[in-house]
Amino acid sequence: MTKITRRVVPVRWLDGAVARWTERQVIELAPDQGAVSAARTLVRRGPWSDTGSTDALVWGKCQGSGRTPYQVSVDLTGPAFRCSCPSRKFPCKHALALLLLWVAGAGSVADVGAASAYAPEWADQRASAASTRATPVAKAGPDAAAQAKRVEQRLTLMSAGMDDFATWLSDLARTGLAAARQQPYRWWDDTAARLVDAQLPGLAEQVRAMASQVARREDWADHLLAGVGRWWVATRAWADRDALSGAELADLRVLLGWNQATADVRATDRVGDDWVVLGVHRSEEGRIQQQRTWLRGERTGEIVQVLDFAAGETVLAVPQLAGAVLTAELARYPGSAPRRALFVEAPAEAGSRATLPTGGTIDAAYARAAHQWAASPWTERVPALLDHVRVVAGVGGQPAHVQDREGDRLPLHADSAVWLLLALVGGEEVQLFGELDDDRFRPLSVSAHGTVTPL
Amino acid sequence: MSAPAQLDRWWDGLRAAALIGTSRREPPWPVALGVPSPADTPRDQQLLAAAALGGTARRAGRRPDHHAGPEPVATATESFASGAAVQLLELLVHQRPLGEDGRTLLLRHWVTTAEARAVVLPHRLLPAVLELATRRPELRPELGRVLGARGRWLAGLNPAWSWVSRRSTGDPTPSVSMLRRLDPAAGRALVESTWATDAARVRAAALSELTVGLSAADQDLLERALGDRSAEVRAVALRLLDRLPESARAVRLAERLRPLVSRHGVLRTTLEIDLPDQPDPAGVRDGLTAPTAGRSARGWWLHRIVAGAPLSVWPELARTDPTGVARLTRPNETVRAALIEAAVGRADVDWCRALLTAGWAPQLAATLPSAEQQAAWVERLRAGSIAESAHQLSQVAPPWDAGLSTAVVAALRRDPAAGHAVRLLRDHLGLAVHASAVPALQRLAEDATAADHPTLLRDLQAVLRDTRQFHTLHRSISEAFP
């Protein structure tokens, strides 16, 4: 939502032109000192693009924590400020920063930055974020005995919660799905609350999500039946957890919401390589913003995902652009493919690719996904590189889909920006990278005519 | 049965059992999957285990749908707008400087400039621009070429954007209006084809769609509609026939008019216009119906006759040109009002001009071509107060030429009630005022001191800001294309 603020300031006319501004005048407009300091951090090339000015208007785009850069413009005759950021300050730090840049540039704002300018700032942010994340874990007592006791208590709590959940599932099977659908939201929410109390937040989230899906979806019965099946496997797997492999246990922990400590992960299972950024997805789940970055190692061909989270005032790391190549050492979390990873240190820019790595047909993507789903039933989405596909618009209420040379079709996910994708691709054959989520495809990057474009 | 079909059949059975619950039905085990059923487990746990196996098998075993390949689309070589031009476009699309009306004006300027330079829209902005033009039809006319091949192709995929192509894709029954735009005769034939069986409401609606592309060729159908059972249909037919001076009805009304008008005097001619008598049934059919409440019947009938008769009758009867007719009929309010209605309805520029000489009526000015309309307004402003005409003035499409802008500023200066006028015109002045009139506007603002006229000062400053912003953006757009 673009907010507009206007301050009524007498317009000064000097020979027909708006009088030049000074830095002091800009600072006077700021709502408080905090806004000024915040603005000063943005007075550099890095986050800005597409900047320009007339003698009555200054504009530019500033990369912040949102998915797309914030569009900022200042009407110098007012002055009036427009910015698409969610801040409630008038004027926001982006508008102030833009004005400061304009003043510093003596009335013109030079056109700034290509993608490569992002990486150093991104790296700084990640390094500082990583160090703040590592610290709390290190604080968790050097006393091994106390720690072991805590883990023991946790396991007891979780086991009790899983037993409880297994009983709930059995009751559900006995009384029937139709009866479950009649239940109010409260019924699901109570179960979720008990799971949270038992240190099983991941399952709790799934239960709550299922409640709304059962109310909403036409194929709710199939969806719920498959869902309870997966939850049942989780209870059996937990009961038998000593017999699980490392990867299986790790997958189960992800499902249950029992996170691995970053410091532990950082210390093990490292792999260094040149990584191609395949695509990035940003989303908001409630008040938490999440960013998934998919990387593929040039040497190993392995595809991993880097997850970043931000809540409240914290800012997400600047997204890497699709097609960029990073030289970096990653540490991989235990689990099945596609594995989660994190950067051990800031990655180094190593250029970019004109095309995405070779992919395959839709059928091949399904076959690979089949292996991954069979190995880990709780995996939700798997990465897919599709070559030589066209995008076909949906007709008569049907969703849009991609179609490959074999003639196979794959419908697009409901949250895809279909018209933008069609506008960029036209009727041509292109290469797409995205996520295969159940039976839908979520496109994240397009590769055509020697450029890789993020969606 | 194939394995996938078998699996689907079994899953349907499992779902059926799951829906009503295992307390009432035994869940089938997926024997075909080759996993032995867990021994000695209660039914509910068997269902859950079966669901786990089946769910995974279905998900992992899913295969894509197969269809014939789509047609490839030819690519065209076009040059794209770039650099500052695209930045300005993005600003207009996403940030809306100067509000919705200002944005529309500037976008039209952008599109016409782009068309003149033979560049097309960058692909990533196509959906946003198409959305905007769907909401604001004023943007549509010039957009065609600037959309480029990709834009036109894209528009063809979305029914909401079907206005781009002349043919509406995916719409099996073309509407009458659409057809009238391409082939008026075919549109009329469409209306006639179902005339006999359509309900009254439908007939009235279809008939009123003949407004598009109305011509003398439509008069037979309209003549028939005059005798229709439904009053609504008859009213529509009358309204349309008022706009066809060559129709048989118009000629009939001319015959009724002739005996009423007589010319007197030699040195100073006057026109005496009698009121008509009670009309016969034919007259009622031609529109001389019962009057609306509070109106004199004979005055109403005179109005209908004058509004429906051809204007060419008057020079014949008065033995003078349209300007003379306007002068002679000015004292008669009924006749003058009806003449104005006829001239405006038929978009008869000559008669509108002539009637204007005898007195001001904004709808007459609005029918004239833009330059003349603005000149007429300049005359009007010289004579009258701007505060009275402010609302009508806001209907004059921006941008205004230098003459009108200067006249408006001068009128504001003269009028003690200028504050009210500026308040009414505030949103329009910013976009309409010509650059050459801006210094005069500035002086007006300077003279309106904060003490005496605070609201006026504030409004004028807002107008000046908008004007400045509009002109600089307008100029920047012109300069942004190489």
Side-chain angles (χ1 to χ4, degrees), chain B residues 203-219:
Chain B
R203 287 202 303 278
L207 204 62
S208 80
E209 289 198 74
L210 293 182
T211 315
V212 180
L214 186 69
S215 74
D218 299 317
Q219 70 154 322

Side-chain angles (χ1 to χ4, degrees), chain B residues 301-327:
Chain B
W301 293 326
L302 178 62
H303 183 104
R304 300 298 320 150
I305 291 172
V306 174
L311 290 162
S312 52
V313 175
W314 290 90
E316 175 199 317
L317 293 172
R319 272 177 269 146
T320 175
D321 62 6
T323 312
V325 172
R327 181 174 46 83

Side-chain angles (χ1 to χ4, degrees), chain B residues 288-305:
Chain B
L288 307 185
T289 55
T292 49
R295 272 199 85 143
S296 97
R298 297 172 77 194
W300 166 248
W301 293 326
L302 178 62
H303 183 104
R304 300 298 320 150
I305 291 172

Side-chain angles (χ1 to χ4, degrees), chain B residues 240-438:
Chain B
L240 290 175
L241 280 167
D242 271 347
R243 291 174 43 189
L244 292 177
E246 327 85 36
S247 63
R249 170 186 175 259
V251 170
R252 292 196 294 271
L253 287 176
E255 289 315 307
R256 289 183 187 271
L257 182 61
R258 284 204 176 82
L260 301 175
V261 180
S262 49
R263 184 171 176 273
H264 298 276
V266 174
L267 284 176
R268 250 187 80 242
T269 44
T270 55
L271 275 184
E272 202 178 287
I273 305 166
D274 297 330
L275 293 171
D277 294 327
Q278 180 94 18
D280 53 7
V284 176
R285 187 174 180 278
D286 275 339
L288 307 185
T289 55
T292 49
R295 272 199 85 143
S296 97
R298 297 172 77 194
W300 166 248
W301 293 326
L302 178 62
H303 183 104
R304 300 298 320 150
I305 291 172
V306 174
L311 290 162
S312 52
V313 175
W314 290 90
E316 175 199 317
L317 293 172
R319 272 177 269 146
T320 175
D321 62 6
T323 312
V325 172
R327 181 174 46 83
L328 288 171
T329 54
R330 186 166 61 173
N332 192 320
E333 279 178 27
T334 310
V335 172
R336 177 165 165 82
L339 286 173
I340 291 176
E341 197 181 299
V344 172
R346 298 169 200 169
D348 191 323
V349 175
D350 293 327
W351 271 94
C352 284
R353 228 178 255 134
L355 288 164
L356 260 179
T357 61
W360 174 256
Q363 62 269 49
L364 289 172
T367 316
L368 296 175
S370 175
E372 273 191 68
Q373 180 187 20
Q374 298 192 48
W377 266 103
V378 172
E379 279 303 312
R380 167 68 176 162
L381 288 170
R382 232 171 254 159
S385 140
I386 188 168
E388 294 170 352
S389 2
H391 180 73
Q392 298 156 1
L393 188 55
S394 67
Q395 306 298 315
V396 180
W400 298 339
D401 60 24
L404 180 56
S405 306
T406 314
V408 169
V409 178
L412 285 173
R413 186 171 275 282
R414 280 196 319 265
D415 196 330
H420 177 65
V422 172
R423 173 50 54 99
L424 282 175
L425 290 168
R426 190 171 69 170
D427 294 331
H428 299 90
L429 280 174
L431 306 175
V433 167
H434 193 266
S436 61
V438 170

Side-chain angles (χ1 to χ4, degrees), chain A residues 2 4 6-11 13 16-18 50-57 59-61 71-79 82-84 111 166 169-179 220-222 225-226 228-230 232-233 236 362-363 366-367 369-371 373-374 376-381 390-394 403-404 406-410 419-420 422-428 438-439 449, chain B residues 11-12 14-25 42-56 58-76 83-84 86-99 122-127 131 150-151 153-159 161 438 442 446 458 461-462 464-466 468-470 472-473 475-477:
Chain A
T2 303
I4 305 169
R6 275 182 176 262
R7 305 281 203 82
V8 181
V9 168
V11 180
W13 300 95
V18 175
D50 282 341
T51 55
S53 63
T54 66
D55 58 353
L57 190 68
W59 64 83
K61 290 184 191 162
Q71 190 136 26
V72 195
S73 68
V74 180
D75 178 342
L76 296 167
T77 64
R82 285 182 176 81
C83 182
S84 56
D111 216 339
L169 286 171
S170 302
D171 289 341
L172 179 53
R174 213 169 19 254
T175 52
L177 305 182
W220 66 272
D222 285 336
L225 187 55
V228 300
R230 285 195 294 275
W232 181 250
V233 176
R236 295 304 93 209
I362 292 176
D363 200 55
Y366 262 120
H371 277 294
W373 280 323
S376 169
W378 309 299
T379 305
E380 283 177 24
R381 58 194 83 82
R390 286 189 217 282
V391 183
V392 183
Q403 183 159 352
D404 65 12
E406 315 286 315
D408 289 328
R409 286 184 171 184
L410 180 49
W419 293 117
L420 179 59
L422 281 167
L424 291 172
V425 163
E428 298 175 3
D438 221 356
D439 61 343
H449 300 300
Chain B
W11 180 261
D12 288 342
L14 184 71
R15 184 178 57 232
L19 278 169
I20 61 173
T22 56
S23 60
R24 298 221 280 274
R25 187 179 293 184
R43 278 193 198 175
D44 45 274
Q45 292 189 17
Q46 284 201 22
L47 178 89
L48 293 167
L53 283 168
T56 304
R58 290 182 80 225
R59 185 155 74 146
R62 187 176 284 119
R63 278 296 172 270
D65 286 332
H66 192 90
H67 294 261
E71 294 302 310
V73 172
T75 45
V86 173
Q87 287 175 12
L88 286 165
L89 180 64
E90 278 187 305
L91 214 61
L92 289 175
V93 167
H94 294 129
Q95 295 236 306
R96 245 178 25 156
L98 291 166
H123 293 161
R124 71 178 191 282
L125 290 171
L126 284 170
E131 280 297 306
R150 181 67 60 86
W153 170 84
L154 189 68
L157 300 174
N158 189 346
W161 299 334
V438 170
Q442 270 168 243
E446 283 157 21
R458 223 177 28 238
Q461 284 175 337
L464 283 165
R465 278 197 297 272
D466 285 348
R468 177 169 193 80
Q469 190 60 263
F470 181 76
T472 48
L473 273 175
R475 195 172 51 243
S476 302
I477 290 172

